[in-house]
Amino acid sequence: MFDVFIEYLQSKLTITDAEVEMVKQICRLKKLRKKQYLLQEGDVWRYNAFVQKGLLRTYRVDNKGQEHVIQFSAENWWSGDRYSYLTETPARYNIEAIEDCDIVLITKVDYENLLEAIPALNTFVRHLVERSFIASQNRINADISFTAEEKYNDFVTTHPALLNRIPQHMIASYLGLTPETLSRVRSKR
């Protein structure tokens, strides 16, 4: 049931059989159908979520009704609303399945206990958070300094496996472009 998640952990760190069993004991599997929500704005996010199968999008809707995609999370990626999770306040984002998904959920208390019980996992998570911070900085830099063409080329280079899985209007939203602008950029390639 959690084979993909366990394989992911084993590929990233050395973990004993007893630690694997500890992980399995606290994991919960959530199945989502396409267009089903993992999180809706206003709810408090209380989990760490790992995508075993499928594809999620994290997005927000502004006052004008415009969607702004913040992140895509495919297999072997983590997802959630970090701010809501850490502050225990209502989420500002929606997390929706773009495809049918199998998601591993771990509650905050169980996750913190795991990090304490498995030092290698704690070290791995620290490095994961550092890489995530760098990716966020790179995304901000691209948003403020790249042309539309450069944004799209960067997305194609960084996420080639996602191109055919995500509708074009969602890619446009992620890049901060209108669908028409993205269409023009794509036609030039």
Side-chain angles (χ1 to χ4, degrees), residues 6-19:
I6 298 304
E7 287 174 21
Y8 167 82
L9 291 177
Q10 290 172 328
S11 74
K12 303 293 183 185
L13 58 128
T14 303
I15 187 169
T16 68
D17 290 343
E19 291 168 336

Side-chain angles (χ1 to χ4, degrees), residues 24-150:
K24 286 181 180 179
Q25 292 300 314
I26 54 96
C27 289
R28 183 176 137 226
L29 186 65
K30 173 108 176 147
K31 291 185 173 282
L32 298 173
R33 292 180 312 281
K34 183 178 179 175
K35 296 190 178 185
Q36 190 175 4
Y37 287 95
L38 178 63
L39 174 68
Q40 286 187 281
E41 181 180 356
D43 294 341
V44 177
W45 181 244
R46 302 186 188 280
Y47 301 96
N48 284 278
F50 177 83
V51 181
Q52 282 201 140
K53 177 186 135 216
L55 180 61
L56 299 171
R57 72 173 173 139
T58 302
Y59 71 97
R60 182 158 194 207
V61 180
D62 66 21
N63 295 337
K64 297 176 185 173
Q66 185 75 28
E67 290 183 2
H68 301 277
V69 176
I70 307 302
Q71 176 181 323
F72 297 109
S73 303
E75 294 83 6
N76 293 335
W77 286 33
W78 295 85
S79 184
D81 184 324
R82 276 331 252 175
Y83 185 80
S84 177
Y85 176 84
L86 293 171
T87 63
E88 298 182 358
T89 58
R92 295 185 267 179
Y93 301 106
N94 298 291
I95 302 175
E96 180 186 34
I98 297 175
E99 302 171 349
D100 290 349
C101 294
D102 290 345
I103 310 294
V104 175
L105 296 175
I106 305 172
T107 67
K108 186 176 184 179
V109 170
D110 286 337
Y111 189 73
E112 289 172 0
N113 288 338
L114 265 185
L115 295 181
E116 199 170 303
I118 307 173
L121 180 60
N122 192 9
T123 300
F124 166 70
V125 167
R126 190 182 79 246
H127 292 298
L128 186 67
V129 169
E130 290 168 353
R131 287 192 308 274
S132 176
F133 181 76
I134 291 167
S136 292
Q137 285 184 316
N138 289 340
R139 173 110 191 269
I140 291 167
N141 181 60
D143 281 350
I144 62 175
S145 61
F146 284 12
T147 65
E149 291 82 6
E150 289 169 331

Side-chain angles (χ1 to χ4, degrees), residues 165-178:
R165 295 173 66 185
I166 301 171
Q168 293 304 303
H169 73 277
M170 290 182 193
I171 294 173
S173 173
Y174 177 81
L175 298 175
L177 306 174
T178 65

